[in-house]
Amino acid sequence: MGPTSALVLFAVIWFMTLLCVVPIKLKTQQDVGKVTPGTQSGAPEVHHLRAKIWITTGISIVLFAIIGGIIISGWITVEDMDWWGRLDNAYPDN
């Protein structure tokens, strides 16, 4: 795995983790009881975004180490995911 693919893998893991972490302990304007006129009642009032970004980064580093280790070790390869057998005949012998 090259540096570019490692960076892309980490970015994908980080954003997917962020999307899972953001709704945790989110308080909306309706939950707090003061809805600003002209805004949606489900708009966030208390979001703790800085803490959630640090939590996301920590979880992402652990997941990246595990997934990157599996990729680098060769324990799972692209050929293992060839469920329909399309890679066997990608370059037929002439």
PDB file of all heavy atoms in Angstrom, residues 27-37 39-46:
ATOM      1  N   LYS A  27     -27.875  17.450  21.120  1.00  0.00           N
ATOM      2  CA  LYS A  27     -29.086  18.082  21.653  1.00  0.00           C
ATOM      3  C   LYS A  27     -29.567  19.107  20.636  1.00  0.00           C
ATOM      4  O   LYS A  27     -28.828  19.995  20.235  1.00  0.00           O
ATOM      5  CB  LYS A  27     -28.796  18.753  22.984  1.00  0.00           C
ATOM      6  CG  LYS A  27     -28.469  17.757  24.066  1.00  0.00           C
ATOM      7  CD  LYS A  27     -28.433  18.416  25.403  1.00  0.00           C
ATOM      8  CE  LYS A  27     -27.921  17.372  26.377  1.00  0.00           C
ATOM      9  NZ  LYS A  27     -28.724  17.210  27.507  1.00  0.00           N
ATOM     10  N   THR A  28     -30.811  18.944  20.215  1.00  0.00           N
ATOM     11  CA  THR A  28     -31.386  19.852  19.229  1.00  0.00           C
ATOM     12  C   THR A  28     -32.040  21.038  19.930  1.00  0.00           C
ATOM     13  O   THR A  28     -32.194  21.047  21.155  1.00  0.00           O
ATOM     14  CB  THR A  28     -32.425  19.118  18.370  1.00  0.00           C
ATOM     15  OG1 THR A  28     -33.494  18.681  19.208  1.00  0.00           O
ATOM     16  CG2 THR A  28     -31.799  17.931  17.654  1.00  0.00           C
ATOM     17  N   GLN A  29     -32.446  22.023  19.128  1.00  0.00           N
ATOM     18  CA  GLN A  29     -33.136  23.181  19.698  1.00  0.00           C
ATOM     19  C   GLN A  29     -34.448  22.768  20.355  1.00  0.00           C
ATOM     20  O   GLN A  29     -34.836  23.312  21.382  1.00  0.00           O
ATOM     21  CB  GLN A  29     -33.411  24.209  18.599  1.00  0.00           C
ATOM     22  CG  GLN A  29     -32.174  24.884  18.077  1.00  0.00           C
ATOM     23  CD  GLN A  29     -32.493  25.915  17.010  1.00  0.00           C
ATOM     24  OE1 GLN A  29     -33.654  26.226  16.732  1.00  0.00           O
ATOM     25  NE2 GLN A  29     -31.457  26.458  16.405  1.00  0.00           N
ATOM     26  N   GLN A  30     -35.105  21.777  19.785  1.00  0.00           N
ATOM     27  CA  GLN A  30     -36.358  21.303  20.364  1.00  0.00           C
ATOM     28  C   GLN A  30     -36.105  20.603  21.700  1.00  0.00           C
ATOM     29  O   GLN A  30     -36.892  20.753  22.630  1.00  0.00           O
ATOM     30  CB  GLN A  30     -37.050  20.355  19.391  1.00  0.00           C
ATOM     31  CG  GLN A  30     -38.413  19.901  19.839  1.00  0.00           C
ATOM     32  CD  GLN A  30     -39.093  19.049  18.785  1.00  0.00           C
ATOM     33  OE1 GLN A  30     -38.470  18.662  17.796  1.00  0.00           O
ATOM     34  NE2 GLN A  30     -40.364  18.763  18.986  1.00  0.00           N
ATOM     35  N   ASP A  31     -34.991  19.859  21.804  1.00  0.00           N
ATOM     36  CA  ASP A  31     -34.664  19.191  23.062  1.00  0.00           C
ATOM     37  C   ASP A  31     -34.394  20.205  24.170  1.00  0.00           C
ATOM     38  O   ASP A  31     -34.796  20.008  25.318  1.00  0.00           O
ATOM     39  CB  ASP A  31     -33.427  18.300  22.905  1.00  0.00           C
ATOM     40  CG  ASP A  31     -33.650  17.134  21.969  1.00  0.00           C
ATOM     41  OD1 ASP A  31     -34.815  16.755  21.758  1.00  0.00           O
ATOM     42  OD2 ASP A  31     -32.645  16.601  21.449  1.00  0.00           O
ATOM     43  N   VAL A  32     -33.723  21.288  23.833  1.00  0.00           N
ATOM     44  CA  VAL A  32     -33.380  22.308  24.813  1.00  0.00           C
ATOM     45  C   VAL A  32     -34.590  23.162  25.159  1.00  0.00           C
ATOM     46  O   VAL A  32     -34.717  23.659  26.274  1.00  0.00           O
ATOM     47  CB  VAL A  32     -32.205  23.177  24.284  1.00  0.00           C
ATOM     48  CG1 VAL A  32     -31.895  24.321  25.207  1.00  0.00           C
ATOM     49  CG2 VAL A  32     -30.976  22.331  24.066  1.00  0.00           C
ATOM     50  N   GLY A  33     -35.491  23.331  24.201  1.00  0.00           N
ATOM     51  CA  GLY A  33     -36.718  24.076  24.463  1.00  0.00           C
ATOM     52  C   GLY A  33     -36.688  25.511  23.989  1.00  0.00           C
ATOM     53  O   GLY A  33     -37.558  26.295  24.344  1.00  0.00           O
ATOM     54  N   LYS A  34     -35.682  25.903  23.222  1.00  0.00           N
ATOM     55  CA  LYS A  34     -35.661  27.270  22.680  1.00  0.00           C
ATOM     56  C   LYS A  34     -35.342  27.213  21.190  1.00  0.00           C
ATOM     57  O   LYS A  34     -34.194  27.102  20.786  1.00  0.00           O
ATOM     58  CB  LYS A  34     -34.687  28.168  23.423  1.00  0.00           C
ATOM     59  CG  LYS A  34     -33.281  27.663  23.493  1.00  0.00           C
ATOM     60  CD  LYS A  34     -32.396  28.665  24.212  1.00  0.00           C
ATOM     61  CE  LYS A  34     -30.935  28.278  24.028  1.00  0.00           C
ATOM     62  NZ  LYS A  34     -30.036  29.219  24.627  1.00  0.00           N
ATOM     63  N   VAL A  35     -36.388  27.256  20.385  1.00  0.00           N
ATOM     64  CA  VAL A  35     -36.254  27.199  18.934  1.00  0.00           C
ATOM     65  C   VAL A  35     -36.172  28.629  18.405  1.00  0.00           C
ATOM     66  O   VAL A  35     -37.049  29.446  18.653  1.00  0.00           O
ATOM     67  CB  VAL A  35     -37.450  26.459  18.294  1.00  0.00           C
ATOM     68  CG1 VAL A  35     -37.328  26.443  16.790  1.00  0.00           C
ATOM     69  CG2 VAL A  35     -37.540  25.051  18.846  1.00  0.00           C
ATOM     70  N   THR A  36     -35.092  28.928  17.702  1.00  0.00           N
ATOM     71  CA  THR A  36     -34.915  30.248  17.103  1.00  0.00           C
ATOM     72  C   THR A  36     -35.860  30.374  15.915  1.00  0.00           C
ATOM     73  O   THR A  36     -35.908  29.478  15.073  1.00  0.00           O
ATOM     74  CB  THR A  36     -33.456  30.425  16.625  1.00  0.00           C
ATOM     75  OG1 THR A  36     -32.588  30.162  17.722  1.00  0.00           O
ATOM     76  CG2 THR A  36     -33.212  31.806  16.093  1.00  0.00           C
ATOM     77  N   PRO A  37     -36.626  31.464  15.846  1.00  0.00           N
ATOM     78  CA  PRO A  37     -37.559  31.628  14.722  1.00  0.00           C
ATOM     79  C   PRO A  37     -36.812  31.621  13.389  1.00  0.00           C
ATOM     80  O   PRO A  37     -35.762  32.233  13.243  1.00  0.00           O
ATOM     81  CB  PRO A  37     -38.200  32.993  14.973  1.00  0.00           C
ATOM     82  CG  PRO A  37     -38.022  33.241  16.433  1.00  0.00           C
ATOM     83  CD  PRO A  37     -36.748  32.554  16.819  1.00  0.00           C
ATOM     84  N   THR A  39     -35.589  28.866  12.003  1.00  0.00           N
ATOM     85  CA  THR A  39     -34.719  27.693  11.910  1.00  0.00           C
ATOM     86  C   THR A  39     -35.526  26.439  12.164  1.00  0.00           C
ATOM     87  O   THR A  39     -36.617  26.486  12.727  1.00  0.00           O
ATOM     88  CB  THR A  39     -33.565  27.757  12.935  1.00  0.00           C
ATOM     89  OG1 THR A  39     -34.107  27.737  14.258  1.00  0.00           O
ATOM     90  CG2 THR A  39     -32.722  28.998  12.748  1.00  0.00           C
ATOM     91  N   GLN A  40     -34.966  25.320  11.772  1.00  0.00           N
ATOM     92  CA  GLN A  40     -35.633  24.044  11.988  1.00  0.00           C
ATOM     93  C   GLN A  40     -35.484  23.650  13.454  1.00  0.00           C
ATOM     94  O   GLN A  40     -34.444  23.882  14.076  1.00  0.00           O
ATOM     95  CB  GLN A  40     -35.011  22.977  11.094  1.00  0.00           C
ATOM     96  CG  GLN A  40     -35.696  21.649  11.191  1.00  0.00           C
ATOM     97  CD  GLN A  40     -34.985  20.579  10.394  1.00  0.00           C
ATOM     98  OE1 GLN A  40     -33.821  20.716  10.071  1.00  0.00           O
ATOM     99  NE2 GLN A  40     -35.701  19.512  10.100  1.00  0.00           N
ATOM    100  N   SER A  41     -36.511  23.027  14.001  1.00  0.00           N
ATOM    101  CA  SER A  41     -36.454  22.647  15.414  1.00  0.00           C
ATOM    102  C   SER A  41     -35.446  21.537  15.663  1.00  0.00           C
ATOM    103  O   SER A  41     -34.997  21.347  16.787  1.00  0.00           O
ATOM    104  CB  SER A  41     -37.839  22.206  15.897  1.00  0.00           C
ATOM    105  OG  SER A  41     -38.267  21.069  15.164  1.00  0.00           O
ATOM    106  N   GLY A  42     -35.044  20.811  14.611  1.00  0.00           N
ATOM    107  CA  GLY A  42     -34.062  19.741  14.768  1.00  0.00           C
ATOM    108  C   GLY A  42     -32.629  20.211  14.596  1.00  0.00           C
ATOM    109  O   GLY A  42     -31.700  19.403  14.578  1.00  0.00           O
ATOM    110  N   ALA A  43     -32.424  21.526  14.463  1.00  0.00           N
ATOM    111  CA  ALA A  43     -31.068  22.057  14.318  1.00  0.00           C
ATOM    112  C   ALA A  43     -30.298  21.855  15.621  1.00  0.00           C
ATOM    113  O   ALA A  43     -30.840  22.002  16.713  1.00  0.00           O
ATOM    114  CB  ALA A  43     -31.119  23.533  13.959  1.00  0.00           C
ATOM    115  N   PRO A  44     -29.005  21.525  15.541  1.00  0.00           N
ATOM    116  CA  PRO A  44     -28.245  21.266  16.760  1.00  0.00           C
ATOM    117  C   PRO A  44     -28.057  22.519  17.609  1.00  0.00           C
ATOM    118  O   PRO A  44     -27.797  23.599  17.095  1.00  0.00           O
ATOM    119  CB  PRO A  44     -26.909  20.741  16.258  1.00  0.00           C
ATOM    120  CG  PRO A  44     -26.835  21.033  14.818  1.00  0.00           C
ATOM    121  CD  PRO A  44     -28.200  21.302  14.341  1.00  0.00           C
ATOM    122  N   GLU A  45     -28.194  22.367  18.899  1.00  0.00           N
ATOM    123  CA  GLU A  45     -27.950  23.448  19.851  1.00  0.00           C
ATOM    124  C   GLU A  45     -26.644  23.174  20.603  1.00  0.00           C
ATOM    125  O   GLU A  45     -25.808  24.033  20.744  1.00  0.00           O
ATOM    126  CB  GLU A  45     -29.125  23.559  20.828  1.00  0.00           C
ATOM    127  CG  GLU A  45     -29.007  24.676  21.823  1.00  0.00           C
ATOM    128  CD  GLU A  45     -29.145  26.052  21.173  1.00  0.00           C
ATOM    129  OE1 GLU A  45     -29.834  26.180  20.154  1.00  0.00           O
ATOM    130  OE2 GLU A  45     -28.545  27.002  21.707  1.00  0.00           O
ATOM    131  N   VAL A  46     -26.500  21.955  21.102  1.00  0.00           N
ATOM    132  CA  VAL A  46     -25.278  21.542  21.800  1.00  0.00           C
ATOM    133  C   VAL A  46     -24.735  20.334  21.039  1.00  0.00           C
ATOM    134  O   VAL A  46     -25.363  19.285  21.012  1.00  0.00           O
ATOM    135  CB  VAL A  46     -25.581  21.160  23.266  1.00  0.00           C
ATOM    136  CG1 VAL A  46     -24.314  20.747  23.978  1.00  0.00           C
ATOM    137  CG2 VAL A  46     -26.272  22.298  23.981  1.00  0.00           C
TER     138      VAL A  46
END
